Amino acid sequence: MLALLDSGIGGLTVARAFCRRCPTADVLYLADAANAPYGTKSPEELLPLLTHGIEALLARGAERVVLACITASCLHERLPRSLQPLVIPILPFVAERIAACRGRVGIIATEATVRSDALSHALSRYGCTRPIERSAAQPLVALAEAGKTSLADAGVQDALERAILPLLYRGVDTLVLGCTHFPYFEEAIRSLYGGLHILSPARIGSEALVRTLPQEMLRGEGRFTYLVSAYGRK
Ligand code: DGL
């Protein structure tokens, strides 16, 4: 059984795309709502929370845990060594696609991801050393959690413009949705900035999982179990 972990509904964008491609896989999903958001936390705060979530999913029978969260993926190499082989971060899949991209690339992501060196390290493994423009878009996480993802919803256009316009001024023509909550805004982004080429972690992550997971993990009964960590546990 495959498990996916995120702070909330963001990783569901990856899980949904994965289940569409692979409807027979058994999937366990943990929304760590008790500790959301992840993107405002330091690595020191986040690492024990991730370790706890991963261990809980393994204890429920998961064979692999996908960090369906770019913020968490940035910390993969700092997780306990015994867990690392069982954990699949989605950041390297996204980095591989960025490295193959010809355009001028910009990324919108959480505060923690924008601060982290993990993206540059992941890119350099694919031979990509050119600079990637970065913009923090943390308010989009709370908007997505509140179900506000269309331009008609208060605050959405403003948050998108604040995040994306600085990148456009720097000549970006390829936008990476560097947080798994952001694919919920893809339609809104397309209607605001039609010419942008968008790289989505949901599409990239789900394709890569189907390509790289052992075949037996793709064959099950198509069960989907959704777990939410208890609110109030900090
Ligand atoms: N969806 C997550 C990510 O991809 C985390 C968002 C948050 O909790 O701040 O980074």
Side-chain angles (χ1 to χ4, degrees):
M1 182 168 54
L2 182 68
L4 292 95
L5 167 65
D6 182 42
S7 63
I9 60 169
L12 280 181
T13 61
V14 182
R16 188 173 55 181
F18 172 74
C19 291
R20 280 208 187 118
R21 286 172 197 278
C22 203
T24 54
D26 291 327
V27 172
L28 183 59
Y29 185 92
L30 174 60
D32 188 12
N35 300 303
Y38 282 172
T40 54
K41 293 189 168 56
S42 66
E44 292 69 29
E45 288 173 298
L46 205 45
L47 278 163
L49 303 174
L50 295 175
T51 303
H52 182 81
I54 292 162
E55 283 172 345
L57 288 165
L58 294 172
R60 281 187 173 247
E63 291 152 276
R64 295 281 188 289
V65 179
V66 177
L67 297 177
C69 168
I70 306 280
T71 309
S73 292
C74 290
L75 297 175
H76 177 245
E77 288 171 16
R78 293 178 62 182
L79 287 168
R81 284 207 180 279
S82 57
L83 292 183
Q84 284 182 25
L86 303 173
V87 175
I88 305 171
I90 62 164
L91 179 66
F93 301 137
V94 175
E96 184 181 14
R97 281 293 282 278
I98 296 174
C101 219
R102 286 175 180 273
R104 187 155 172 81
V105 180
I107 183 167
I108 52 171
T110 64
E111 289 168 8
T113 300
V114 165
R115 273 198 310 265
S116 165
D117 288 336
L119 176 63
S120 312
H121 289 152
L123 284 169
S124 64
R125 282 194 198 115
Y126 293 102
C128 176
T129 48
R130 68 201 155 105
I132 306 295
E133 303 291 343
R134 302 166 180 222
S135 176
Q138 190 66 43
L140 292 176
V141 174
L143 285 166
E145 288 290 334
K148 295 182 178 174
T149 57
S150 107
L151 291 178
D153 293 319
V156 169
Q157 183 162 351
D158 184 54
L160 288 174
E161 285 176 352
R162 277 172 196 269
I164 298 171
L165 281 178
L167 298 178
L168 298 185
Y169 290 139
R170 285 178 247 153
V172 161
D173 55 26
T174 300
L175 180 70
V176 182
L177 307 181
C179 167
T180 54
H181 280 76
F182 297 173
Y184 291 114
F185 299 96
E186 195 165 337
E187 206 182 304
I189 295 170
R190 284 192 195 284
S191 35
L192 282 175
Y193 312 110
L196 268 180
H197 177 219
I198 297 178
L199 298 186
S200 160
R203 276 193 297 277
I204 296 169
S206 60
E207 272 169 28
L209 288 172
V210 174
R211 201 177 61 227
T212 56
L213 281 171
Q215 280 299 308
E216 58 275 16
M217 287 192 67
L218 307 181
R219 282 188 230 110
E221 291 167 13
R223 274 190 306 246
F224 190 94
T225 310
Y226 187 76
L227 307 169
V228 183
S229 61
Y231 287 96
R233 181 177 60 75
K234 292 277 171 190

